Every structure is written in structure tokens, then in C-alpha cells.
Amino acid sequence: MLSALLKTVQEQFPKSYWIAGVLPMLVFLALNGVLLRYHSPAFKDWLASFNGVEEKTLLYGSILLGVLISAYLLFSLSSVMLEMIEGRRGPLQWISWILLPGQRWILKGIDEKYDEAGIDIDKLRKSLARWQDMLVAARNIGRAPFTKSDKSKLKFTKKVRWLRRMGRRIPPNELENAVARVTQLMSQFETKNGSDLDCARLDLLEMIQFALNRAQYESLRLYNLRQFSFPGARWTFPLSPNPSSVSVIAPTIMGNIGRTMRSYALTRYQLDLDIFWTRLLDTLQRSALPFYAVIQDSKTVVDCMTALVWLTAIFTFTWAGLLYWCFTPASPLEFALVGFGGTLLTLIWYEVACQGYRVFADLIRSSVDLYRFKMLEAFHLSAPLGTDEERELWLRMGQAMGYSSEQTFIYKHPSAS
Amino acid sequence: MRSFFYGLLLLIPWLALIGIGTWRIVHRTPPAGSLSSAESAAEVTAAHKIPVSWLIRKNDLRGEAAHAKSLLGLYTAVEIGEGKAVRAQDLTRTPKILVAAGKVPYRFPVDASLAADLNARSKVAIFEKGAAVIPESPVLAVECSASCVAILELSLAESAFLSSGPAGLAVMRRQ
């Protein structure tokens, strides 16, 4: 009977309800139940008071119903919980004055490293040909034999070799020094093919190439990290007289990842996702069902992790207090396990939620790229001829739909085409 | 890396609270058997500042046998007959009051005069090994020997006596 009931319930609710609603709630209630049974004699007595098959069936049925209802409530609150974790409402918004400086600091760190990578690329590009010429030309100057006892003169390359071996950044000035000293040695000693000096020369050439490649890789990685983790772009000088709403950062990492979706669509196409999101969703449902399913699955992961973050935080906070004040004397190990373990678990869920949200945001950006013209078809509007026209079109549509600005459009109905 | 450090910075107050809480729980647990038998219960109570809520609560001893055993450890009253008082010869080692408010029993030495006083004033309820412990009134568990626990059922007047008596012990009736 129970399995039949479960099957009926399962058919009634979507997959996301089971993953983002039932699963976190079940874990939460089970953990609370275990701790309550362990610490509260009253709860234990209450459980023990159910005797006989009928009473126990009633108990299990009530528990099941309770889980399903509370899971449904949790599932309904998923968008609220997501907004809360983004810092748009609730406790994280109240402490946004503490959180915002941290986000600015993180962003500044990315920008600084990006600048550093850019400077490295410039320096390396400028010096590349000169270093190459030096290391090739100096080969024919030296005449003295490079013996084993002279090998110690190559010790200075130890640091750059280590940086290369570890795949770390090799500062251009370190390379500059190394090139100068190897060249100096080459001008004194004969550089035979396969000799230690020749190997050092070849290694150095490879390191120069590596340093340039790594700086390029780092530059692109940081650029992507910035644009997919924080909204907007860096400010530039001179300041722009046109205000932009895309570069305002949120108090949390999740909030900033969320804002990248709107920022991306606005900076690329002038398409405001705050206005067009539900329209785009409709287009995806009609024209790209498999892609829409992928987006839904991704959102389910985000909702599940968000629910786990909040429920674990509530569990940790509540049980740390209960164990300390109400269920004394709790064992220190248990208290520490709940306090530290719960906090660690909350952080892990949050990190996983962030990763999931990055994937979701990427899917949304892709859907903007791929299906925005389909959305125009749904509006019965012609596709623009070029990028400038497109930006102009989305801007005007956004103003018309979002801010009731009077705009004129010429429709293209399917029958007329 | 910066996000990790900033997250850690924000969590420091909370982690410090948990750390302090753990430390306090560790240090408010009196180590069993570390006190000499010469110390009276009053001294022990005063020295450890035992909160009232730590002393025996009636409902903590209610429940099935396994639960009672978990509260009282493995001590069961098998050496003393029903209705008999705890005699001096039954106290094969330093008698201790088992404070069973919670899972772990805390043991405090009781001097002989207090034990005698308790015997004179209290009805001693004896439980078979593994039997359910369902006292109807406030109780005080007195460890008599390694394998013996006398559960003293106390009346309100006795509770009051113990609370204000020479031992300075508080016996709490759960509201």
C-alpha cells in the first residue's frame, strides 16, 4: 500500500521536487530525529508510546506525510532560498556591509593578477627576440672548455628551473638575469652540442616560451574567471557619462555569479534578462526542449545544494545551542562535531552550490547566444541585419516592455512572410 | 584563495564560539574518581559549581531498561535486597552519588554520614539487573559498589532537605 502511495505521489511531482525538496528535507529531519532520540527522553518516550502494528503504521504514515509536505514547502521556497544565498534578502543582506568589502577584495585580487599577467606578456614579447638572439649569437664566442668543475657556475638557474618544474609563473626579470648570465658564460666557454652549457641554453629557451605561454593562459583564465564570477567589466579612464547597471557587485559569490547572466546578455546584446528571462524560457520550452531539460537539471542541482546549505546551517546553529544549553551535559566531541562538522559541511554545500550555479549561468548565457533570434520570432519581429541593429533592437524592446517607453516596431507575421 | 581567506575571516567568531563552547564543556565535566573520599559532597559541589539542572532529574531515569542502563552506566542494584537499607558493609568502596542527568553518569564521593542520613530518610528502591527504572518521584542514585546502585526515591520534603541540608546538594524535580 505504501509503495503504491509513493508511486502515485512520485508521478504527481517532478524530478526536481524529489531531488531539491525531498532529499534535503529527509536528510535534515533524519539527523534531527537521531539527535532528538539520543538526547531527549521525552521524544524517545513519545516514540516508544506507539505500540502495536496499527499505531506504528499511523506513526510511519504521519512521518511520511510530514516529510512530503515539508519537502513541498521547501521546494516552493527554493527561489526565496536562492535569493537569500545571493544576498538579495534575509540574513546575508542584513550583513551585506560585512560581505561586500570581501567581494571587492576578491575582485581586486583577480584584477591585480590579470594586470600582472598582462605586464608579463608585454615584457616577454618585447624581450623574446632579443633573448633568442643573445642565446644563439653567444654560442660562437666562447672558446675555453666548459669542464665539470665549471658546472657550479650554472647554479643561478636553479630558481627558474624550479619555477618551470612546478609550472609556476617565471617573472621576466628572473629570465632576464638568467639569459644575461648564461650568455656571459657562453661568451667565455665553448658551447658544444649536448654539453651542460648547451643544455642550460636550450632549457632557458624552453623556459622563455613556457613563461610566455603561461602568462597568456593565466591572462585568459583570469579574464574568464572575472567575467563568469563577477558582473560587468573593469572601469576605464576616462569615466563614462552613461550610467551602467551591470558592474554593481553582490555581497556573496552566488549573488555575483547570478549577476553575470544579466551582465553577459546586456554587454553583448543589450538584452536585459530581468525583462526577457521568462520570454526566453518560453522560447526554450517551445524550440529547444532537450536544452531546456539540461537547464532544468542544472537548476535542480543548484536548488538542492541551496536547500542543503540553509538546512545544514540551521541544523548546526540550532543543535550547537541545544547541546550547550538544553541537553547538558553533551559530550564535548559531539558538540565539536556538530559545531565544526556542521560548519564545514555548510561550506562544502555552498562551494558545490557555487559550482552548480556557474554551470547553470553558463547554460543561460549559451541559451541567450543560441536562442535569442527564436525569441524574436515569437515576438513576430524580423531578425536584425547586423550586430549594431541587434543591440539597438533589444535596447528598444527592453525599454518598451520593461519601462513602458514608447517605441515603434514593424511586425513580421508568419502568414505575411 | 582570497575567497577562502575572507570566508575564514568571517567564520572566525563562530568557530571561536564553538571552540570556547567545547572547551567549557570539557572543563565543566568533573573527572570521575579524581576526588579523594575525604572531600564531602558539599565541597565537591561547591568546587565544581554544579548547576542545579545537572543533578538528578526524574524523567532522565524513566524509560526502558536499556535507557536506564545507558544513564546509569552498567551499575545495577543486585547486592541489596528489596526494602533493605544500604548498610555500611554494602559500601565496599567510597560511595558516590551518581548524577545521572544526561547520558554520562557523574560521580561524586559521599561521606558515610550523608549516606546513612539518606538511608534513614529515603525509601530505597532496588532494581533487578536489566529491569526498567521508572521512578515516580525524584530520585537520587547512590553508587554502593562497583556493581551496585541504590536508587533512592525522594519525597518533596526529602528533596528540600537535601537541597538545604549539610550536603548542599540540590535535587531537582522536573516541572
Side-chain angles (χ1 to χ4, degrees):
Chain A
M1 192 184 82
L2 197 66
S3 59
L5 175 71
L6 272 174
K7 199 180 174 195
T8 313
V9 174
Q10 192 180 357
E11 284 164 1
Q12 295 300 316
F13 290 103
K15 190 174 73 177
S16 51
Y17 163 74
W18 294 99
I19 297 172
V22 176
L23 184 70
M25 185 50 78
L26 207 61
V27 173
F28 177 70
L29 291 179
L31 278 175
N32 277 292
V34 166
L35 279 178
L36 261 180
R37 191 180 183 282
Y38 193 63
H39 284 284
S40 167
F43 181 71
K44 200 180 172 187
D45 289 348
W46 180 74
L47 281 182
S49 69
F50 290 89
N51 293 316
V53 180
E54 280 184 14
E55 282 191 7
K56 283 193 173 166
T57 309
L58 185 72
L59 174 69
Y60 295 143
S62 307
I63 290 173
L64 178 69
L65 198 65
V67 169
L68 291 177
I69 292 171
S70 48
Y72 185 75
L73 285 174
L74 185 77
F75 183 60
S76 312
L77 288 171
S78 54
S79 60
V80 177
M81 286 190 294
L82 186 61
E83 283 182 12
M84 282 167 69
I85 210 169
E86 283 182 337
R88 285 155 69 182
R89 62 166 78 197
L92 295 180
Q93 191 203 20
W94 304 332
I95 58 161
S96 60
W97 56 278
I98 301 174
L99 300 172
L100 270 168
Q103 293 302 309
R104 286 184 59 82
W105 186 57
I106 295 164
L107 182 58
K108 203 178 162 196
I110 296 172
D111 285 344
E112 281 170 4
K113 282 195 171 177
Y114 179 73
D115 287 344
E116 192 182 69
I119 292 166
D120 279 2
I121 291 170
D122 286 347
K123 280 186 181 173
L124 290 166
R125 271 189 185 152
K126 276 180 192 167
S127 311
L128 191 72
R130 181 168 56 85
W131 289 343
Q132 195 173 299
D133 290 346
M134 282 167 75
L135 289 169
V136 172
R139 205 179 169 205
N140 302 318
I141 301 172
R143 286 287 171 263
F146 190 79
T147 58
K148 280 189 180 175
S149 58
D150 295 320
K151 209 175 167 183
S152 61
K153 289 174 181 164
L154 288 170
K155 267 187 180 173
F156 64 88
T157 57
K158 208 174 167 184
K159 189 181 175 185
V160 280
R161 277 171 191 273
W162 183 81
L163 290 170
R164 168 68 186 97
R165 202 164 50 242
M166 294 290 131
R168 295 196 180 174
R169 169 182 173 253
I170 307 177
N173 58 328
E174 291 283 347
L175 283 173
E176 179 77 58
N177 290 339
V179 169
R181 294 183 74 173
V182 167
T183 313
Q184 195 183 7
L185 284 174
M186 286 166 72
S187 61
Q188 290 173 22
F189 299 101
E190 189 182 11
T191 315
K192 277 185 184 170
N193 279 345
S195 67
D196 288 334
L197 193 55
D198 191 43
C199 287
R201 182 185 73 96
L202 291 172
D203 282 351
L204 202 50
L205 283 167
E206 193 273 334
M207 279 180 224
I208 293 165
Q209 187 63 61
F210 164 77
L212 186 62
N213 292 348
R214 190 192 178 282
Q216 179 68 14
Y217 166 81
E218 194 65 4
S219 170
L220 292 175
R221 185 187 73 81
L222 290 163
Y223 184 81
N224 285 331
L225 180 69
R226 194 199 193 283
Q227 71 167 340
F228 298 141
S229 301
F230 288 93
R234 295 176 66 177
W235 69 278
T236 50
F237 196 82
L239 301 177
S240 168
N242 303 318
S244 166
S245 63
V246 295
S247 295
V248 179
I249 60 170
T252 65
I253 297 172
M254 283 285 278
N256 283 314
I257 294 169
R259 288 188 186 184
T260 58
M261 294 179 264
R262 180 172 181 264
S263 152
Y264 179 86
L266 264 176
T267 51
R268 267 65 172 185
Y269 311 113
Q270 287 292 341
L271 191 155
D272 193 343
L273 274 183
D274 278 358
I275 299 165
F276 291 104
W277 168 235
T278 45
R279 283 86 165 170
L280 181 65
L281 215 57
D282 177 72
T283 306
L284 291 173
Q285 279 172 320
R286 286 167 191 272
S287 317
L289 211 53
F291 192 75
Y292 178 70
V294 175
I295 291 178
Q296 264 200 322
D297 286 349
S298 172
K299 182 69 167 49
T300 302
V301 172
V302 175
D303 287 344
C304 175
M305 289 302 144
T306 307
L308 280 172
V309 168
W310 285 116
L311 292 180
T312 313
I314 291 168
F315 173 84
T316 307
F317 195 71
T318 311
W319 273 100
L322 283 176
L323 287 175
Y324 190 80
W325 281 296
C326 298
F327 296 125
T328 47
S331 86
L333 182 70
E334 192 179 18
F335 179 77
L337 200 67
V338 167
F340 292 119
T343 309
L344 183 69
L345 207 57
T346 309
L347 291 177
I348 290 172
W349 296 143
Y350 184 72
E351 190 55 40
V352 178
C354 284
Q355 288 302 330
Y357 207 31
R358 278 195 184 96
V359 174
F360 174 72
D362 201 32
L363 286 169
I364 297 302
R365 286 191 292 268
S366 305
S367 70
V368 171
D369 291 337
L370 297 171
Y371 297 102
R372 63 187 194 282
F373 293 128
K374 287 274 181 194
M375 188 161 52
L376 279 179
E377 280 177 22
F379 284 122
H380 292 204
L381 290 170
S382 308
L385 294 173
T387 50
D388 289 347
E389 287 87 347
E390 188 191 358
R391 291 166 68 86
E392 176 69 21
L393 178 64
W394 287 120
L395 185 67
R396 288 199 305 120
M397 282 177 69
Q399 283 171 348
M401 289 174 189
Y403 311 106
S404 357
S405 164
E406 282 195 17
Q407 302 287 338
T408 308
F409 299 98
I410 296 168
Y411 295 116
K412 180 192 167 191
H413 297 292
S415 55
S417 62
Chain B
M1 193 53 83
R2 282 195 180 198
S3 61
F4 171 77
F5 281 123
Y6 198 75
L8 200 66
L9 194 72
L10 291 175
L11 280 173
I12 280 175
W14 169 250
L15 295 176
L17 268 180
I18 297 294
I20 291 167
T22 309
W23 187 84
R24 289 188 68 172
I25 289 175
V26 169
H27 285 82
R28 78 183 173 189
T29 305
S34 66
L35 300 161
S36 72
S37 58
E39 289 178 283
S40 72
E43 283 166 348
V44 174
T45 309
H48 288 274
K49 292 177 184 164
I50 304 164
V52 170
S53 60
W54 278 39
L55 295 176
I56 291 174
R57 287 179 288 191
K58 178 181 165 185
N59 286 343
D60 288 332
L61 294 177
R62 177 172 285 170
E64 59 195 278
H67 181 52
K69 279 171 79 177
S70 74
L71 289 174
L72 295 173
L74 291 172
Y75 297 97
T76 46
V78 290
E79 292 183 0
I80 311 167
E82 177 77 47
K84 287 183 184 174
V86 180
R87 295 164 302 170
Q89 57 264 40
D90 294 324
L91 309 176
T92 52
R93 61 181 201 182
T94 311
K96 291 166 185 168
I97 292 177
L98 282 177
V99 182
K103 191 174 183 300
V104 185
Y106 295 92
R107 279 171 251 164
F108 303 101
V110 181
D111 57 23
S113 62
L114 176 65
D117 206 0
L118 288 173
N119 289 339
R121 289 176 161 273
S122 307
K123 187 176 100 186
V124 180
I126 303 298
F127 298 94
E128 293 296 326
K129 190 169 186 176
V133 180
I134 313 173
E136 291 302 319
S137 57
V139 292
L140 195 64
V142 177
E143 182 188 19
C144 304
S145 69
S147 60
C148 165
V149 166
I151 308 290
L152 308 179
E153 293 192 4
L154 305 172
S155 66
L156 270 180
E158 285 164 342
S159 302
F161 164 77
L162 280 172
S163 304
S164 59
L169 284 171
V171 178
M172 184 184 166
R173 177 192 281 271
R174 180 174 275 185
Q175 296 303 311

